[in-house]
Amino acid sequence: MKYTKEEFDKHDKEMTRSVQELKFLVDSAENQASEVVDGKWYPTPHVWRTIAEKALDLANQQEWFDRYEAKEL
C-alpha cells in the first residue's frame, strides 16, 4: 500500500505543529512557568508530564514517516 501525497502532507503538518508545541513547552518548563489549559493553571511538573506525552506522540509520528519511507523505496 502506497501513501498519497495528501496523507504525507497531513502527517508532515501535524509533526511540524507538534515539534513547535514541544519547543514551547520545554521553554516554559525551563523557565518554571505554569501552563494554562482551558483557563486553569497547572504547575511546572504538569508541563514536564505534558512534554513527556508529546515526546512519545512525536516518536509515534516519526514511526509513520519511517514506514512511509520504507514503502517508497
Side-chain angles (χ1 to χ4, degrees):
M1 173 187 169
K2 287 217 172 216
Y3 294 108
T4 65
K5 172 126 175 66
E6 290 80 21
E7 287 175 296
F8 180 88
D9 290 345
K10 177 185 169 188
H11 284 273
D12 186 49
K13 286 179 184 178
E14 175 64 22
M15 187 148 185
T16 299
R17 187 190 62 75
S18 294
V19 168
Q20 290 172 345
E21 184 180 348
L22 181 65
K23 288 177 180 180
F24 172 79
L25 289 168
V26 168
D27 186 51
S28 295
E30 286 178 337
N31 292 315
Q32 297 183 351
S34 299
E35 180 180 32
V36 179
V37 178
D38 296 326
K40 184 175 179 183
W41 287 91
Y42 292 93
T44 304
H46 181 267
V47 178
W48 284 113
R49 190 171 291 109
T50 303
I51 290 167
E53 291 169 355
K54 182 59 66 180
L56 288 173
D57 179 56
L58 280 165
N60 290 332
Q61 290 182 51
Q62 184 60 52
E63 286 179 347
W64 184 90
F65 282 100
D66 292 347
R67 289 190 307 273
Y68 175 87
E69 289 173 355
K71 289 183 182 211
E72 293 297 310
L73 296 177

